[in-house]
Amino acid sequence: MINEKLPNRPIKTAVKVFELIDVIQGLDEATFTNVSKEVDMAESTLHDYLTTLVHIGYLSRKDRKYTLSLQFLDHGIAARECISVYSKSRSTLKGMAKESGAAVWLMVEEKGKAVYLAQELGENSIETHERIGKHEYMHCLASGKVMLAFSSEEHVDEVVDEHGLPPKTPESISTVEELKAELSEIQEKGYAVNHNEAAEGTSAVAAPIIVEDHVAGAVAISAPVTRVENETFRKRLIELVSTGSNEIELKMTYE
């Protein structure tokens, strides 16, 4: 299953703490008033939660606004270091960025979403809203689609049941039939492409990282749609992601 079921006796305080953290992360200005509008909690109780989180170092408070502290960055880096595909891919990603001149991403799946795990930038990289640590719907990314394509059909159904197929742009896949038809094509080709599906004006090419019949992640190269529509450039990106993913697979298998 994508998400573990709640235990018979969930610790409600723990649930509330992380719901509160998610709310604060999602607000542009996390003042006490704005936070209180988003949570079902008495103001006195909310004050106690916020004060406690500031005291133990997980929130910062300045000018009456709350923000996540860098303690989360420490945890995030530690979590990334535990994922073997990250350490085995770093030199490969740098080489791909240098050769393509574009932005190269290492992606993994967590609970039915694609996670941006690492990035290397080429000299002609474009600036986007993507960032390391971001969780994104899989059906609108080349990397997400390629990881789904080489997973079981049962897993694909679980992802769709859990997250649906919300459109990011008018070009995003919006039906199960369309998704499965494209996943079948991706299986045959060995790579995936998206045009304007995650953000208008951007495109990406991705290949899976498969180790012992398990999808360990994917490598993707993103660039402006106009560049990727050029057949010569697109073929070069396909070659780079295919070679790069294979190199990482070999490192994970034999090193």
Side-chain angles (χ1 to χ4, degrees), residues 56-242:
I56 63 177
Y58 283 90
L59 289 182
S60 299
R61 185 173 185 267
K62 184 178 181 180
D63 298 329
R64 298 185 179 183
K65 299 172 186 176
Y66 294 92
T67 58
L68 303 188
S69 81
L70 293 178
Q71 188 65 44
F72 288 101
L73 178 61
D74 188 26
H75 290 316
I77 291 173
R80 184 170 68 172
E81 294 293 339
C82 293
I83 301 174
S84 61
V85 68
Y86 169 69
S87 62
K88 300 297 185 183
S89 66
R90 295 174 69 177
S91 61
T92 300
L93 299 180
K94 289 179 181 179
M96 292 170 64
K98 183 177 181 180
E99 290 191 49
S100 66
V104 179
W105 290 94
L106 173 67
M107 308 291 292
V108 295
E109 181 189 347
E110 183 174 71
K111 294 189 175 182
K113 285 193 172 183
V115 183
Y116 292 83
L117 197 66
Q119 180 195 52
E120 291 291 340
L121 298 177
E123 61 181 358
N124 298 316
S125 300
I126 57 172
E127 187 173 336
T128 69
H129 295 295
E130 312 309 342
R131 57 173 173 76
I132 293 173
K134 182 180 180 182
H135 289 56
E136 184 60 273
Y137 295 108
M138 298 182 73
H139 68 284
C140 59
L141 299 176
S143 54
K145 291 188 292 185
V146 85
M147 286 190 285
L148 287 177
F150 290 90
S151 300
S152 68
E153 187 170 352
E154 179 184 15
H155 180 65
V156 174
D157 291 337
E158 287 179 353
V159 170
V160 175
D161 289 343
E162 180 70 23
H163 298 294
L165 298 170
K168 297 285 289 184
T169 74
E171 300 298 320
S172 301
I173 290 173
S174 58
T175 68
V176 175
E177 292 76 18
E178 185 182 2
L179 174 64
K180 291 193 173 181
E182 183 156 348
L183 295 184
S184 179
E185 292 181 9
I186 292 168
Q187 282 182 332
E188 293 181 8
K189 295 178 179 178
Y191 65 88
V193 179
N194 89 53
H195 291 299
N196 297 307
E197 294 172 54
E200 294 185 6
T202 63
S203 187
V205 178
I209 301 167
I210 301 174
V211 180
E212 297 180 352
D213 298 322
H214 168 71
V215 180
V219 288
I221 302 178
S222 62
V225 168
T226 51
R227 291 189 68 197
V228 180
E229 285 178 342
N230 177 280
E231 185 177 359
T232 301
F233 184 67
R234 185 172 64 255
K235 285 182 177 179
R236 180 57 178 151
L237 296 190
I238 293 169
E239 179 185 354
L240 283 172
V241 295
S242 300

Side-chain angles (χ1 to χ4, degrees), residues 85 88-89 92 209 219 244-252:
V85 68
K88 300 297 185 183
S89 66
T92 300
I209 301 167
V219 288
S245 65
N246 182 245
E247 183 176 310
I248 296 168
E249 290 168 351
L250 292 173
K251 288 180 180 179
M252 293 184 69

